[in-house]
Amino acid sequence: MNPGGHCPGGEYLFPSNSNTNLPFLIANKLFRTISEGGDPTALRFKNINVYIMGPDPGPVLSAAGPRGNFWICTNDWPAKTTRTLYLRAGGKLSDRDPRGGEREFSAYKYDPRLPVPTTGGNNLLLPTCGPWDQRAIERRYDVLTFSTGALVRSVSIVGNVQLILYVRSSANDTDFMAKLVDVYPDGRSYNILDQGVRMRWHQSRSDAPQYMEDGTVYKVTIDLQDTAYVFNSGHAIELDITSSNFPRFSVNHNNGNLLTMGPGEDVTATNFVYHSEDYASVLSLPEVEYDDLQDHKCTP
């Protein structure tokens, strides 16, 4: 798996070592071996060939250079532990869970007529894809940010990223969008993963829609999907939360209308994200040891 996929590149390009012809090499050797009557199981390729992404290697911000931006080749996924980061009052991401006496939630107003524009990400046909600076997005009134602050040591993640949110809304339906971000020491803020949940389908997409009731707190899980990335020391792990990411995701008009009913009237919603002792929203990262990744470094 390489980092670009169908995306030609974002605001910065991954190093040239991210490109590989390995899929074509494997396919050619398989076809040749089979066509010649050979045993394809005798071919020796590693089961897993993954590019470990790192920050923009352009302006080197430390004497040692940034960590990441290399391939690993291995037969088994690296051993990992779950790094748990709690959303806390004051826009913090912390290893410690919330305690009583803190502000219980953060809130913002979401106006469907003014959606947050898609800026980079895992897109194919949209104007922007890949890593893009998110600072203009994060300055909006309808975007919450939670940050670890500058990391003392690098944090390497390989695998699935999960987010559990406790939320409430004044509307009977709305969206919650989450974005995992790497904040550089110079302030730049680049997206890594983003996904969301439409609340009327938060329990099931196959059953009847489940509409929200004002005053009720709901637990939702957002699968941010998979990545392989190294947050360097001095950088910060950040989580952005809002209620739109258009046109990557269609706008939720906050009125509960299904697609077959037309958009209907726009409803401005007040949305709440909880980070309290009773409702602890949490980001789960699949952390691996950097030295373990280095042990499997390769040129595929």
Side-chain angles (χ1 to χ4, degrees):
M1 293 183 287
N2 67 18
H6 294 288
C7 178
E11 279 192 330
Y12 72 83
L13 300 176
F14 289 98
S16 59
N17 72 340
S18 64
N19 300 316
T20 179
N21 291 321
L22 183 62
F24 302 101
L25 176 64
I26 293 175
N28 286 337
K29 283 194 173 183
L30 280 173
F31 289 141
R32 181 178 298 174
T33 300
I34 293 172
S35 64
E36 293 176 353
D39 179 9
T41 62
L43 295 176
R44 292 292 180 259
F45 292 106
K46 296 292 186 181
N47 295 334
I48 299 165
N49 302 273
V50 176
Y51 191 76
I52 307 298
M53 297 179 290
D56 178 7
V60 177
L61 300 177
S62 67
R67 288 187 163 194
N69 295 320
F70 59 85
W71 286 90
I72 62 168
C73 303
T74 177
N75 286 322
D76 299 293
W77 287 105
K80 60 188 175 183
T81 58
T82 300
R83 176 80 174 260
T84 301
L85 295 174
Y86 293 92
L87 282 63
R88 300 284 296 269
K92 297 177 181 178
L93 272 181
S94 174
D95 293 315
R96 298 182 180 181
D97 56 340
R99 300 298 180 184
E102 294 184 3
R103 182 173 174 81
E104 294 187 345
F105 59 80
S106 298
Y108 58 93
K109 289 189 180 296
Y110 161 49
D111 185 346
R113 296 166 296 184
L114 300 170
V116 175
T118 297
T119 306
N122 188 17
N123 308 317
L124 178 58
L125 298 177
L126 299 183
T128 63
C129 64
W132 281 74
D133 196 336
Q134 303 295 307
R135 282 179 290 185
I137 300 297
E138 293 162 353
R139 286 193 289 265
R140 289 177 56 116
Y141 67 90
D142 54 355
V143 177
L144 303 177
T145 61
F146 297 87
S147 174
T148 59
L151 297 169
V152 175
R153 62 174 184 85
S154 66
V155 175
S156 306
I157 61 173
V158 177
N160 185 250
V161 177
Q162 292 275 325
L163 174 64
I164 293 176
L165 290 180
Y166 288 90
V167 298
R168 177 166 66 90
S169 178
S170 63
N172 68 349
D173 183 36
T174 194
D175 289 352
F176 287 93
M177 298 288 169
K179 187 179 295 180
L180 182 65
V181 176
D182 181 0
V183 180
Y184 290 36
D186 62 4
R188 288 177 297 158
S189 180
Y190 285 112
N191 52 300
I192 301 169
L193 294 171
D194 61 87
Q195 273 296 330
V197 60
R198 182 148 294 181
M199 288 303 295
R200 64 173 176 257
W201 306 119
H202 76 277
Q203 291 182 340
S204 171
R205 295 185 180 183
S206 59
D207 298 331
Q210 309 92 37
Y211 292 109
M212 304 178 75
E213 296 182 4
D214 192 14
T216 301
V217 178
Y218 296 85
K219 178 183 178 180
V220 297
T221 299
I222 297 179
D223 182 356
L224 284 164
Q225 301 185 349
D226 298 83
T227 192
Y229 192 86
V230 180
F231 294 92
N232 278 231
S233 60
H235 291 229
I237 302 171
E238 185 174 272
L239 179 69
D240 296 346
I241 297 175
T242 184
S243 289
S244 53
N245 182 358
F246 179 78
R248 173 163 164 76
F249 299 96
S250 62
V251 169
N252 191 326
H253 299 276
N254 292 343
N255 55 26
N257 279 14
L258 302 178
L259 291 177
T260 55
M261 302 165 63
E265 184 176 351
D266 289 313
V267 175
T268 298
T270 302
N271 290 341
F272 302 80
V273 175
Y274 280 77
H275 36 69
S276 66
E277 193 170 7
D278 293 331
Y279 301 114
S281 297
V282 61
L283 175 68
S284 297
L285 301 176
E287 186 171 9
V288 300
E289 291 294 331
Y290 187 77
D291 289 344
D292 193 7
L293 297 177
Q294 286 282 295
D295 289 342
H296 296 95
K297 191 174 180 179
C298 66
T299 303

